[in-house]
Coordinates of all heavy atoms in Angstrom, one line a residue:
M236 N 0.9 -1.2 0.0 CA 0.0 0.0 0.1 C 0.8 1.3 0.1 O 1.9 1.4 0.7 CB -0.7 0.0 1.2 CG -1.6 1.4 1.5 SD -2.5 1.4 3.0 CE -4.1 0.6 2.3
V237 N 0.4 2.2 -0.7 CA 1.1 3.5 -0.8 C 0.5 4.5 0.2 O -0.6 4.7 0.4 CB 1.0 4.2 -2.1 CG1 1.8 5.5 -2.3 CG2 1.8 3.2 -3.2
V238 N 1.5 5.3 0.9 CA 1.1 6.3 1.8 C 1.7 7.5 1.5 O 2.9 7.5 1.1 CB 1.3 5.7 3.2 CG1 2.8 5.5 3.6 CG2 0.8 6.7 4.4
I239 N 1.0 8.6 1.7 CA 1.7 9.9 1.5 C 2.0 10.5 2.9 O 1.1 10.6 3.7 CB 0.7 10.9 0.7 CG1 0.4 10.3 -0.6 CG2 1.4 12.2 0.6 CD1 -0.7 11.0 -1.4
R240 N 3.3 10.7 3.1 CA 3.7 11.1 4.5 C 5.0 12.0 4.4 O 5.5 12.4 3.3 CB 4.1 9.9 5.2 CG 5.3 9.0 4.6 CD 5.6 7.9 5.5 NE 6.6 7.0 4.8 CZ 6.7 5.8 5.0 NH1 5.9 5.2 5.9 NH2 7.6 5.1 4.4
L241 N 5.4 12.4 5.5 CA 6.5 13.3 5.7 C 7.7 12.5 5.8 O 7.9 11.5 6.6 CB 6.3 14.3 6.9 CG 5.2 15.3 6.9 CD1 5.1 16.0 8.2 CD2 5.2 16.2 5.7
S242 N 8.8 12.9 5.2 CA 10.2 12.4 5.4 C 11.1 13.4 5.8 O 11.2 14.5 5.2 CB 10.7 11.8 4.0 OG 12.0 11.4 4.0
R243 N 11.7 13.3 7.0 CA 12.5 14.3 7.7 C 13.8 14.4 7.1 O 14.5 13.5 6.7 CB 12.7 14.0 9.1 CG 13.1 15.3 9.9 CD 13.3 14.9 11.3 NE 13.5 16.1 12.2 CZ 14.7 16.7 12.4 NH1 15.8 16.2 11.7 NH2 14.9 17.8 13.1
G244 N 14.3 15.7 6.9 CA 15.7 15.9 6.5 C 16.2 17.3 7.3 O 15.5 17.5 8.3
G245 N 17.3 17.8 6.9 CA 17.7 19.1 7.6 C 18.6 18.7 8.7 O 19.0 17.5 9.0
A246 N 19.2 19.6 9.4 CA 20.1 19.3 10.5 C 19.4 19.4 11.7 O 18.3 19.5 11.9 CB 21.1 20.7 10.5
K247 N 20.2 19.1 12.8 CA 19.7 19.0 14.1 C 19.2 20.3 14.5 O 19.7 21.4 14.2 CB 20.9 18.7 15.0 CG 20.5 18.4 16.5 CD 21.8 18.1 17.3 CE 21.6 18.0 18.7 NZ 22.9 17.7 19.5
K248 N 18.0 20.4 15.1 CA 17.3 21.5 15.4 C 16.8 22.4 14.4 O 16.3 23.5 14.5 CB 18.1 22.4 16.4 CG 18.6 21.7 17.6 CD 17.5 21.4 18.7 CE 18.2 20.8 19.9 NZ 17.2 20.5 20.9
R249 N 17.0 21.9 13.1 CA 16.5 22.7 11.9 C 15.8 21.8 11.0 O 16.4 21.3 9.9 CB 17.7 23.3 11.2 CG 18.5 24.4 11.9 CD 18.0 25.7 11.9 NE 17.9 26.1 10.5 CZ 17.2 27.0 10.1 NH1 16.5 27.9 11.0 NH2 17.0 27.5 8.8
P250 N 14.6 21.3 11.4 CA 13.9 20.2 10.5 C 13.5 20.8 9.2 O 13.2 21.9 9.0 CB 12.8 19.8 11.4 CG 12.4 21.1 12.3 CD 13.8 21.7 12.5
F251 N 13.6 19.9 8.2 CA 12.8 20.1 6.9 C 12.2 18.8 6.4 O 12.8 17.7 6.7 CB 14.0 20.5 5.9 CG 13.5 20.9 4.5 CD1 13.1 22.2 4.3 CD2 13.4 20.0 3.6 CE1 12.7 22.6 3.0 CE2 13.0 20.3 2.4 CZ 12.6 21.6 2.0
Y252 N 11.0 18.9 5.9 CA 10.2 17.8 5.6 C 9.9 17.7 4.2 O 9.3 18.7 3.7 CB 9.0 17.6 6.4 CG 9.2 17.5 8.0 CD1 9.2 18.7 8.7 CD2 9.4 16.3 8.6 CE1 9.4 18.6 10.1 CE2 9.6 16.2 10.0 CZ 9.6 17.4 10.7 OH 9.9 17.4 12.0
N253 N 10.1 16.6 3.5 CA 9.6 16.4 2.2 C 8.4 15.5 2.3 O 8.2 14.7 3.2 CB 10.7 15.5 1.3 CG 11.9 16.3 1.0 OD1 11.7 17.4 0.4 ND2 13.0 15.8 1.2
I254 N 7.4 16.0 1.5 CA 6.1 15.1 1.4 C 6.4 14.2 0.3 O 6.6 14.6 -0.9 CB 5.0 16.2 1.1 CG1 4.9 17.2 2.3 CG2 3.7 15.4 1.0 CD1 4.0 18.3 2.0
V255 N 6.3 12.9 0.5 CA 6.6 11.8 -0.4 C 5.4 10.8 -0.4 O 4.7 10.5 0.5 CB 7.9 11.1 -0.1 CG1 9.0 12.1 0.0 CG2 7.8 10.5 1.3
A256 N 5.4 10.2 -1.6 CA 4.6 8.9 -1.6 C 5.5 7.8 -1.6 O 6.5 7.7 -2.3 CB 3.9 8.8 -3.1
A257 N 5.3 7.0 -0.6 CA 6.2 5.8 -0.3 C 5.4 4.5 -0.1 O 4.2 4.6 0.4 CB 7.1 6.2 0.8
D258 N 6.1 3.4 -0.1 CA 5.5 2.1 0.3 C 5.4 2.1 1.8 O 6.3 2.6 2.4 CB 6.3 1.0 -0.1 CG 5.7 -0.4 0.0 OD1 5.3 -0.6 1.2 OD2 5.5 -1.1 -0.9
K259 N 4.3 1.7 2.4 CA 4.0 1.8 3.8 C 5.0 1.0 4.6 O 5.4 1.3 5.7 CB 2.7 1.2 4.1 CG 2.2 1.3 5.5 CD 0.8 0.8 5.6 CE 0.2 1.1 7.1 NZ -1.0 0.8 7.1
R260 N 5.7 0.0 3.9 CA 6.7 -0.8 4.6 C 8.1 -0.2 4.8 O 8.9 -0.7 5.4 CB 6.7 -2.2 4.0 CG 5.4 -3.0 4.1 CD 5.5 -4.1 3.2 NE 5.4 -3.7 1.7 CZ 5.4 -4.5 0.7 NH1 5.2 -5.8 0.8 NH2 5.3 -4.0 -0.4
E261 N 8.3 0.9 3.9 CA 9.7 1.5 4.0 C 9.8 2.4 5.3 O 8.8 2.8 5.9 CB 9.7 2.4 2.7 CG 10.0 1.5 1.5 CD 11.1 0.7 1.3 OE1 12.1 1.0 1.8 OE2 11.1 -0.3 0.6
R262 N 11.0 2.6 5.5 CA 11.4 3.5 6.7 C 10.9 4.9 6.5 O 10.8 5.3 5.2 CB 12.8 3.5 6.9 CG 13.3 2.1 7.5 CD 14.9 2.2 7.8 NE 15.7 3.1 7.0 CZ 16.4 2.6 6.1 NH1 16.6 1.3 5.8 NH2 17.2 3.4 5.2
R263 N 10.7 5.7 7.4 CA 10.3 7.1 7.3 C 11.1 7.9 6.4 O 10.5 8.6 5.5 CB 10.2 7.8 8.7 CG 9.8 9.3 8.6 CD 10.0 9.9 9.9 NE 11.5 10.1 10.2 CZ 12.0 10.6 11.1 NH1 11.3 11.1 12.1 NH2 13.3 10.9 11.2
D264 N 12.4 7.8 6.6 CA 13.4 8.5 5.7 C 14.0 7.6 4.6 O 15.0 8.1 4.1 CB 14.4 9.1 6.6 CG 13.9 10.0 7.8 OD1 12.7 10.7 7.5 OD2 14.4 10.3 8.9
G265 N 13.4 6.5 4.4 CA 13.9 5.6 3.4 C 13.5 5.9 2.1 O 13.2 7.0 1.7
R266 N 13.5 4.9 1.3 CA 13.1 4.9 -0.2 C 11.8 5.4 -0.4 O 10.8 5.0 0.4 CB 13.3 3.5 -0.7 CG 13.2 3.5 -2.3 CD 13.6 2.2 -2.9 NE 13.3 1.1 -2.0 CZ 13.4 -0.2 -2.4 NH1 13.8 -0.5 -3.6 NH2 13.0 -1.2 -1.6
F267 N 11.5 6.2 -1.3 CA 10.1 6.7 -1.7 C 10.0 6.6 -3.3 O 10.8 6.4 -4.0 CB 9.9 8.1 -1.2 CG 10.9 9.1 -1.7 CD1 10.6 9.8 -2.9 CD2 12.1 9.5 -1.1 CE1 11.4 10.7 -3.4 CE2 12.9 10.4 -1.6 CZ 12.6 10.9 -2.8
I268 N 8.6 6.8 -3.6 CA 8.2 6.5 -4.9 C 8.3 7.9 -5.7 O 8.9 8.0 -6.8 CB 6.8 6.0 -5.1 CG1 6.9 4.6 -4.4 CG2 6.4 5.9 -6.6 CD1 5.4 4.1 -4.3
E269 N 7.8 8.9 -5.0 CA 7.7 10.3 -5.7 C 7.7 11.4 -4.7 O 7.1 11.2 -3.6 CB 6.5 10.3 -6.6 CG 6.5 11.6 -7.3 CD 5.1 11.8 -8.2 OE1 4.4 10.8 -8.2 OE2 5.0 12.9 -8.8
R270 N 8.5 12.5 -4.8 CA 8.5 13.6 -4.0 C 7.4 14.6 -4.5 O 7.4 15.0 -5.6 CB 9.8 14.3 -4.1 CG 9.9 15.5 -3.2 CD 11.4 16.0 -3.1 NE 11.4 17.2 -2.2 CZ 11.3 18.4 -2.8 NH1 11.1 18.7 -3.9 NH2 11.4 19.5 -1.8
L271 N 6.4 14.9 -3.5 CA 5.3 15.6 -3.9 C 5.2 17.1 -3.4 O 4.3 17.9 -3.7 CB 4.0 15.0 -3.3 CG 3.9 13.5 -3.7 CD1 2.7 12.8 -3.0 CD2 3.7 13.4 -5.2
G272 N 6.2 17.3 -2.6 CA 6.4 18.8 -2.1 C 7.2 18.8 -0.9 O 8.0 17.8 -0.5
F273 N 7.1 19.9 -0.1 CA 8.0 20.1 1.1 C 7.2 21.0 2.2 O 6.4 21.7 1.8 CB 9.4 20.6 0.8 CG 9.4 22.0 0.3 CD1 9.3 23.1 1.2 CD2 9.4 22.4 -1.1 CE1 9.3 24.4 0.7 CE2 9.3 23.7 -1.6 CZ 9.4 24.8 -0.6
F274 N 7.8 20.8 3.4 CA 7.3 21.7 4.4 C 8.4 22.0 5.3 O 9.3 21.3 5.8 CB 6.3 20.8 5.3 CG 6.0 21.5 6.6 CD1 5.4 22.8 6.7 CD2 6.1 20.9 7.8 CE1 5.0 23.4 7.8 CE2 5.7 21.5 9.1 CZ 5.2 22.6 9.0
N275 N 8.6 23.4 5.4 CA 9.8 23.9 6.2 C 9.1 24.7 7.4 O 8.7 25.8 7.3 CB 10.6 24.9 5.4 CG 11.8 25.4 6.2 OD1 12.1 25.0 7.2 ND2 12.6 26.2 5.4
P276 N 9.1 24.1 8.6 CA 8.4 24.6 9.8 C 9.2 25.8 10.4 O 8.6 26.6 11.2 CB 8.4 23.5 10.9 CG 9.5 22.5 10.4 CD 9.6 22.7 8.9
V277 N 10.4 25.9 10.0 CA 11.3 27.2 10.5 C 11.6 28.2 9.5 O 12.6 28.8 9.5 CB 12.6 26.6 11.2 CG1 12.4 25.8 12.4 CG2 13.4 25.8 10.2
A278 N 10.7 28.3 8.4 CA 10.9 29.2 7.5 C 10.7 30.6 8.0 O 9.8 30.9 8.7 CB 10.0 29.0 6.3
G279 N 11.6 31.5 7.5 CA 11.5 32.9 8.1 C 10.6 33.7 7.2 O 9.9 33.2 6.2
E280 N 10.6 35.0 7.4 CA 9.8 35.8 6.7 C 10.4 35.9 5.2 O 11.6 35.9 4.9 CB 9.9 37.3 7.3 CG 9.1 37.5 8.5 CD 7.6 37.3 8.3 OE1 7.1 37.8 7.2 OE2 7.0 36.7 9.2
G281 N 9.5 36.0 4.2 CA 9.8 35.9 2.8 C 10.2 34.6 2.3 O 10.6 34.5 1.1
E282 N 10.4 33.5 3.0 CA 10.8 32.2 2.6 C 9.5 31.4 2.3 O 8.5 31.5 3.1 CB 11.7 31.5 3.6 CG 13.1 32.0 3.8 CD 13.9 31.3 4.7 OE1 13.8 30.0 4.7 OE2 14.5 31.9 5.6
E283 N 9.5 30.5 1.4 CA 8.4 29.7 1.2 C 8.5 28.6 2.2 O 9.3 27.8 2.4 CB 8.5 29.1 -0.2 CG 7.3 28.4 -0.6 CD 7.5 27.8 -2.1 OE1 8.6 28.0 -2.6 OE2 6.4 27.6 -2.6
G284 N 7.3 28.4 3.0 CA 7.3 27.5 4.1 C 6.7 26.1 3.7 O 7.0 25.1 4.2
I285 N 5.9 26.1 2.6 CA 5.2 24.9 2.2 C 5.0 24.9 0.7 O 4.6 26.1 0.2 CB 3.9 24.5 3.0 CG1 3.3 23.2 2.6 CG2 2.9 25.7 2.8 CD1 2.2 22.8 3.5
R286 N 5.1 23.8 0.0 CA 4.7 23.7 -1.4 C 4.3 22.3 -1.6 O 4.9 21.3 -1.2 CB 5.9 24.0 -2.2 CG 5.5 23.9 -3.7 CD 6.7 24.1 -4.8 NE 7.5 25.1 -4.4 CZ 8.8 25.3 -4.8 NH1 9.4 24.2 -5.5 NH2 9.5 26.4 -4.6
I287 N 3.2 22.2 -2.2 CA 2.5 20.8 -2.5 C 1.9 20.8 -3.9 O 1.4 21.8 -4.4 CB 1.3 20.6 -1.5 CG1 1.8 20.7 0.0 CG2 0.6 19.2 -1.8 CD1 0.7 20.5 1.1
A288 N 2.2 19.7 -4.7 CA 1.8 19.5 -6.0 C 0.4 18.8 -5.9 O 0.2 17.6 -5.7 CB 2.7 18.6 -6.6
L289 N -0.7 19.5 -5.8 CA -2.0 19.2 -5.6 C -2.4 18.2 -6.6 O -3.2 17.2 -6.3 CB -3.0 20.3 -5.6 CG -2.8 21.3 -4.2 CD1 -3.7 22.4 -4.4 CD2 -3.0 20.5 -3.1
D290 N -2.0 18.4 -7.9 CA -2.3 17.4 -8.9 C -1.8 16.0 -8.7 O -2.5 15.1 -8.9 CB -2.0 18.0 -10.3 CG -0.4 18.2 -10.4 OD1 0.2 18.6 -9.4 OD2 0.0 18.1 -11.6
R291 N -0.6 16.0 -8.2 CA 0.0 14.6 -7.9 C -0.5 14.0 -6.7 O -0.7 12.8 -6.7 CB 1.5 14.8 -7.8 CG 2.2 15.3 -9.0 CD 1.9 14.4 -10.2 NE 2.4 13.0 -10.0 CZ 2.1 12.0 -10.9 NH1 1.3 12.2 -11.8 NH2 2.5 10.9 -10.6
I292 N -0.9 14.8 -5.7 CA -1.6 14.3 -4.4 C -3.0 13.6 -4.8 O -3.2 12.5 -4.5 CB -1.9 15.4 -3.5 CG1 -0.6 15.8 -2.9 CG2 -2.7 15.0 -2.3 CD1 0.0 15.2 -1.7
G293 N -3.7 14.4 -5.8 CA -5.0 13.8 -6.3 C -4.8 12.5 -7.1 O -5.5 11.6 -7.0
Y294 N -3.7 12.5 -7.8 CA -3.4 11.3 -8.6 C -3.2 10.1 -7.7 O -3.8 9.0 -7.9 CB -2.3 11.5 -9.5 CG -1.6 10.2 -10.1 CD1 -2.2 9.6 -11.2 CD2 -0.6 9.5 -9.5 CE1 -1.8 8.5 -11.7 CE2 -0.1 8.4 -10.1 CZ -0.7 7.8 -11.1 OH -0.2 6.6 -11.6
W295 N -2.4 10.3 -6.7 CA -2.1 9.2 -5.7 C -3.3 8.9 -5.0 O -3.5 7.6 -4.7 CB -0.9 9.4 -4.9 CG 0.4 9.4 -5.6 CD1 1.2 10.4 -6.0 CD2 1.1 8.3 -6.0 NE1 2.3 9.9 -6.7 CE2 2.2 8.6 -6.7 CE3 0.7 6.8 -5.9 CZ2 3.0 7.6 -7.2 CZ3 1.5 5.9 -6.4 CH2 2.7 6.3 -7.1
K296 N -4.1 9.8 -4.6 CA -5.3 9.4 -3.8 C -6.3 8.7 -4.7 O -7.0 7.7 -4.1 CB -6.0 10.7 -3.3 CG -5.3 11.3 -2.1 CD -5.9 12.5 -1.6 CE -7.2 12.4 -1.2 NZ -7.8 13.8 -0.7
Q297 N -6.4 9.0 -5.9 CA -7.3 8.5 -6.8 C -6.8 6.9 -7.1 O -7.6 6.1 -7.3 CB -7.3 9.1 -8.2 CG -8.3 8.7 -9.2 CD -8.2 9.5 -10.5 OE1 -7.2 10.1 -10.9 NE2 -9.3 9.9 -10.9
N298 N -5.6 6.6 -6.9 CA -5.0 5.3 -7.2 C -4.9 4.5 -5.8 O -4.0 3.5 -5.7 CB -3.7 5.4 -7.9 CG -3.8 5.6 -9.4 OD1 -4.5 4.9 -10.0 ND2 -3.4 6.8 -9.8
G299 N -5.5 5.0 -4.8 CA -5.5 4.3 -3.5 C -4.6 4.6 -2.4 O -4.5 3.9 -1.4
A300 N -3.8 5.7 -2.5 CA -2.8 6.1 -1.5 C -3.6 6.7 -0.4 O -4.6 7.3 -0.5 CB -1.9 7.0 -2.1
Q301 N -3.1 6.5 0.8 CA -3.7 7.0 2.0 C -2.8 8.2 2.6 O -1.5 8.2 2.4 CB -3.9 6.0 3.1 CG -4.9 5.0 2.7 CD -5.3 4.2 3.9 OE1 -4.7 4.1 4.9 NE2 -6.5 3.4 3.7
L302 N -3.4 9.2 3.1 CA -2.7 10.3 3.5 C -2.3 10.1 5.1 O -3.2 9.6 5.8 CB -3.4 11.7 3.5 CG -3.7 12.1 2.1 CD1 -4.6 13.4 2.2 CD2 -2.5 12.4 1.4
S303 N -1.2 10.5 5.6 CA -0.8 10.4 6.9 C -1.7 11.6 7.7 O -1.9 12.5 7.0 CB 0.6 10.6 7.2 OG 1.1 11.9 7.0
P304 N -1.8 11.5 9.0 CA -2.5 12.7 9.6 C -1.9 14.0 9.4 O -2.6 15.1 9.4 CB -2.6 12.3 11.1 CG -2.5 10.6 11.0 CD -1.7 10.4 9.8
A305 N -0.6 13.9 9.6 CA 0.2 15.2 9.5 C 0.0 15.8 8.0 O -0.1 17.0 7.9 CB 1.7 14.9 9.8
V306 N 0.1 15.0 7.0 CA -0.1 15.5 5.6 C -1.5 16.0 5.4 O -1.6 16.9 4.8 CB 0.4 14.4 4.6 CG1 0.0 14.9 3.2 CG2 1.8 14.1 4.7
E307 N -2.4 15.3 6.1 CA -3.8 15.9 5.9 C -4.0 17.3 6.4 O -4.6 18.1 5.8 CB -4.7 14.9 6.6 CG -5.4 13.8 5.8 CD -6.4 13.1 6.5 OE1 -7.5 13.6 6.8 OE2 -6.1 11.9 7.0
R308 N -3.4 17.3 7.6 CA -3.4 18.7 8.3 C -2.7 19.7 7.4 O -3.2 20.9 7.3 CB -2.7 18.6 9.6 CG -2.7 20.0 10.5 CD -2.1 19.8 11.7 NE -0.7 19.1 11.7 CZ 0.4 19.7 11.4 NH1 0.4 21.0 11.2 NH2 1.5 19.0 11.4
L309 N -1.6 19.5 7.0 CA -0.8 20.5 6.1 C -1.5 20.7 4.7 O -1.6 21.9 4.3 CB 0.6 19.9 5.7 CG 1.6 19.8 6.9 CD1 2.8 19.0 6.4 CD2 1.9 21.2 7.4
L310 N -2.2 19.8 4.2 CA -3.0 19.9 3.0 C -4.1 20.8 3.2 O -4.3 21.8 2.4 CB -3.4 18.6 2.5 CG -4.0 18.5 1.1 CD1 -2.9 19.0 0.1 CD2 -4.5 17.1 0.8
R311 N -4.8 20.7 4.4 CA -5.9 21.7 4.6 C -5.4 23.0 4.8 O -5.9 24.0 4.3 CB -6.7 21.1 5.9 CG -7.7 20.1 5.7 CD -8.5 19.9 6.9 NE -7.8 19.6 8.1 CZ -7.6 18.5 8.6 NH1 -7.8 17.4 8.0 NH2 -7.0 18.4 9.8
Q312 N -4.2 23.2 5.5 CA -3.7 24.5 5.7 C -3.3 25.2 4.4 O -3.5 26.4 4.1 CB -2.4 24.5 6.6 CG -2.8 24.2 8.0 CD -1.5 24.1 8.8 OE1 -0.3 24.1 8.3 NE2 -1.7 23.9 10.2
F313 N -2.7 24.4 3.5 CA -2.2 24.8 2.2 C -3.4 25.3 1.3 O -3.4 26.3 0.7 CB -1.4 23.6 1.5 CG -0.8 24.1 0.2 CD1 0.3 25.0 0.1 CD2 -1.3 23.7 -1.0 CE1 0.8 25.4 -1.1 CE2 -0.7 24.0 -2.2 CZ 0.3 24.9 -2.3
E314 N -4.5 24.5 1.3 CA -5.7 24.8 0.4 C -6.3 26.0 1.1 O -6.8 26.9 0.2 CB -6.6 23.6 0.4 CG -6.0 22.4 -0.4 CD -6.9 21.3 -0.4 OE1 -7.7 21.1 0.6 OE2 -6.8 20.4 -1.2
K315 N -6.4 26.2 2.3 CA -7.0 27.3 2.9 C -6.1 28.7 2.6 O -6.7 29.6 2.1 CB -7.1 27.2 4.5 CG -7.8 28.3 5.2 CD -7.9 28.0 6.6 CE -8.6 29.0 7.4 NZ -8.6 28.7 8.9
R316 N -4.9 28.5 2.7 CA -4.1 29.8 2.3 C -4.1 30.1 0.9 O -4.2 31.2 0.5 CB -2.6 29.4 2.7 CG -1.7 30.6 2.4 CD -0.2 30.3 2.7 NE 0.0 29.8 4.0 CZ 1.0 28.9 4.4 NH1 1.9 28.7 3.4 NH2 1.1 28.6 5.6
Q317 N -4.3 29.0 0.0 CA -4.4 29.4 -1.4 C -5.8 30.0 -1.7 O -5.8 30.9 -2.6 CB -4.3 28.1 -2.3 CG -2.9 27.5 -2.4 CD -2.5 26.9 -3.7 OE1 -3.4 26.3 -4.3 NE2 -1.4 27.1 -4.1
Q318 N -6.8 29.6 -1.0 CA -8.1 30.3 -1.3 C -8.0 31.7 -0.8 O -8.6 32.6 -1.4 CB -9.2 29.4 -0.4 CG -9.5 28.1 -1.1 CD -10.7 27.4 -0.3 OE1 -10.9 27.8 0.8 NE2 -11.0 26.2 -0.8
Q319 N -7.3 31.9 0.4 CA -7.2 33.3 0.9 C -6.5 34.1 -0.1 O -6.9 35.3 -0.4 CB -6.6 33.3 2.3 CG -7.4 32.8 3.4 CD -6.7 32.6 4.6 OE1 -5.5 32.9 4.6 NE2 -7.4 32.4 5.8
Q320 N -5.4 33.7 -0.7 CA -4.6 34.4 -1.6 C -5.5 34.7 -2.8 O -5.4 35.8 -3.5 CB -3.3 33.6 -2.0 CG -2.3 33.6 -0.9 CD -1.1 32.8 -1.3 OE1 -1.1 32.1 -2.2 NE2 0.0 33.0 -0.4
A321 N -6.2 33.8 -3.4 CA -7.1 33.9 -4.6 C -8.1 35.0 -4.3 O -8.5 35.8 -5.2 CB -7.7 32.6 -5.0
G322 N -8.7 35.0 -3.1 CA -9.6 36.0 -2.7 C -9.2 37.4 -2.6 O -9.8 38.3 -3.0
A323 N -7.9 37.5 -2.2 CA -7.2 38.8 -2.0 C -6.9 39.4 -3.4 O -6.9 40.5 -3.4 CB -6.0 38.7 -1.1
A324 N -6.5 38.4 -4.3 CA -6.1 38.9 -5.6 C -7.3 39.3 -6.5 O -7.2 40.2 -7.4 CB -5.4 37.7 -6.4
A325 N -8.5 38.9 -6.2 CA -9.7 39.2 -6.9 C -10.2 40.5 -6.6 O -9.9 41.3 -5.9 CB -10.8 38.2 -6.7

């Protein structure tokens, strides 16, 4: 089974997470199928904190992949922020 989850990178006390589609049996930071985005919880002002390829997430969900709870939460935040930006631009 394929799961969409976070894979940790970065230095000690400076986490950086890749959002990946991986086989459920693989280790958290191990081999993955596809990188779908990233999340930087310590992003400063003017830095991009999150990027998600929504079309690829949709593709994997359509083919039976499950989202981890953390990725579900990040996805809701990302979509909410995009709606706010679209509303402000209009």
Side-chain angles (χ1 to χ4, degrees):
M236 168 184 274
V237 175
V238 64
I239 298 173
R240 63 180 174 207
L241 298 176
S242 175
R243 191 182 194 281
K247 182 177 175 183
K248 307 282 186 180
R249 300 271 307 159
F251 185 88
Y252 298 94
N253 285 309
I254 300 169
V255 298
D258 190 301
K259 187 174 185 174
R260 297 169 291 188
E261 292 292 334
R262 296 186 319 258
R263 176 192 74 179
D264 302 332
R266 186 169 37 171
F267 60 89
I268 301 168
E269 183 179 359
R270 183 174 178 263
L271 305 171
F273 67 84
F274 170 57
N275 184 0
V277 293
E280 288 295 320
E282 291 183 42
E283 190 173 16
I285 186 168
R286 182 186 307 160
I287 300 176
L289 295 174
D290 58 330
R291 297 305 296 166
I292 296 273
Y294 167 81
W295 282 109
K296 282 176 60 176
Q297 192 175 33
N298 285 297
Q301 294 191 344
L302 299 175
S303 73
V306 171
E307 264 186 79
R308 178 180 50 85
L309 289 173
L310 191 57
R311 282 195 303 268
Q312 287 177 357
F313 183 72
E314 289 173 339
K315 186 176 178 181
R316 185 181 306 152
Q317 287 215 324
Q318 288 175 353
Q319 289 174 349
Q320 288 175 350

